[in-house]
Amino acid sequence: MDDRLFRDAMGKFATGVTVVATEVDGKVHGMTANAFMSVSLNPKLVVVSIAEKAQMLEKIKQSQSFSINILSAEQQEESMIFAKQIKDSREVVFDRLGGIPVLPGALAQVVCEVSAEHVEGDHTLFIGRVKEIKLDETNQEPLIYFSGKYRSLAE
């Protein structure tokens, strides 16, 4: 099967956009990801899928913790920065939740410790045990990604 056909088919699934963040040796690292989902309510678990070629893979393995920041419609620039779609250097300021870096303005900040790792194909699935959550009730519009483009919800 052609790789492009597979990618195009998977792109037909509309998703929210997240930034996964962690900290190693006092330095914050982040990457944009839409391969994220909840796994379990009891215990509270989520999963994020990280490519073997991504720098974030080793960072999460080292830190054994991460945050999932569910982006608002106003955070497209942050998504593009962490997806390396914006090449010029821009400083992104992080807040802290439970000692883990989180993006201010995100619809939801979910702090996790790594519960398990599963290598599947060219990705590692990190199961995160949720330790803390913070919601931003002032902003309700999510950043959406569909068919290779950022989108917004229509009423």
Side-chain angles (χ1 to χ4, degrees), residues 14-55:
T15 66
V17 182
T18 72
V19 166
V20 179
T22 195
E23 185 173 24
V24 174
D25 297 329
K27 184 167 191 235
V28 176
H29 304 273
M31 68 168 271
T32 299
N34 64 349
F36 158 75
M37 68 178 199
S38 63
V39 173
S40 169
L41 184 60
N42 189 18
K44 290 167 184 57
L45 301 173
V46 297
V47 65
V48 65
S49 178
I50 310 289
E52 66 183 22
K53 63 183 179 182
Q55 295 174 358

Side-chain angles (χ1 to χ4, degrees), residues 63-82:
S63 69
Q64 289 294 295
S65 62
F66 59 92
S67 68
I68 300 289
N69 301 274
I70 300 173
L71 301 187
S72 73
E74 288 79 34
Q75 292 180 301
Q76 181 175 329
E77 183 173 307
E78 285 92 336
S79 172
M80 294 173 75
I81 289 168
F82 290 107

Side-chain angles (χ1 to χ4, degrees), residues 117-136:
E117 300 174 25
H118 302 279
V119 176
E120 297 295 338
D122 59 2
H123 280 63
T124 296
L125 306 176
F126 287 99
I127 307 296
R129 183 176 300 272
V130 177
K131 301 312 263 177
E132 293 198 47
I133 292 177
K134 182 178 177 189
L135 301 177
D136 182 349

